[in-house]
Amino acid sequence: MLKLNFVDLQFLYLGIKGNGKFDERDIEKSDLKQLGVGRILDQLASLKERNLIEMKKDESFLITNFAKHILWSKQIPLWIKILRILEIKSMELAKISSFLLLSPEQVHSEIEDLRKRQLVLMSPLRKDSGIVKMYEILPDGIEQIKISSSQGFQIKPQVTESEIEILSIIDETVEKIKRINDIPNEKKDEIISNILKIKEKLKI
């Protein structure tokens, strides 16, 4: 499958949320204007060369069916879409759901299932607004993308009840540490980070 970078994703998303097309005015109103004219033109040319966009007579750009199939086709399972998004860039839930044109509620249960199956890792990130859950794809998740590209969509690897119980205990421990007031935030972040590293090494 064709791999996208984050700028590719931003351009395609601009068109997807605009009923399949975008123009110069849409770019100007978006964060993409920060790229500068030269890089924008180069990016548009690259997207066109890879059959991700087409230029119309009115100089607007149309998202191709090939591009839509990567992340926005109803034929693609949601769990594959999430893995493909995270292969491009690690993101928080709100960003993932926004790019997929879905609500956070629709994405949350699926991404938590991927996390339990060790295809995705969740790491707490401290921001001014508080703790944000950041998701990143793990090597097994990348492998699942490769398998789905070559063999069709596979059923997600299953985990046993005991493995789920272990994951629940780890998650519960992390949440308890977050609520402790006597430990500095920097120390809590360090402890949580070490616990999550152990969780990743368990490979469950």
Side-chain angles (χ1 to χ4, degrees), residues 36-51:
V37 176
R39 190 175 174 193
I40 286 174
L41 293 175
D42 288 343
Q43 184 66 33
L44 290 171
S46 174
L47 291 168
K48 189 172 182 297
E49 287 174 3
R50 288 177 287 161
N51 191 33

Side-chain angles (χ1 to χ4, degrees), residues 1 4 18 30 32 34 42 62 65 98 101 120 122 130 140-141 160 179-181 188 194 202:
M1 187 196 77
L4 304 178
S30 73
L32 289 166
Q34 299 174 2
D42 288 343
L62 186 70
N65 288 331
S98 177
L101 304 180
V120 163
M122 187 282 287
D140 285 348
T160 65
R179 293 194 292 268
I180 297 175
N181 296 322
K188 282 197 282 188
N194 288 334
L202 289 174

Side-chain angles (χ1 to χ4, degrees), residues 93-130:
L93 179 63
K95 282 283 187 183
I96 297 169
S97 57
S98 177
F99 277 122
L100 294 177
L101 304 180
L102 298 170
S103 69
E105 291 75 21
Q106 288 174 288
V107 175
H108 181 262
S109 60
E110 195 70 38
I111 200 168
E112 282 299 301
D113 191 52
L114 290 171
R115 183 185 62 80
K116 290 176 181 177
R117 301 180 196 289
Q118 290 295 290
L119 301 180
V120 163
L121 174 68
M122 187 282 287
S123 301
L125 179 67
R126 185 173 296 279
K127 290 188 175 181
D128 294 338
S129 57

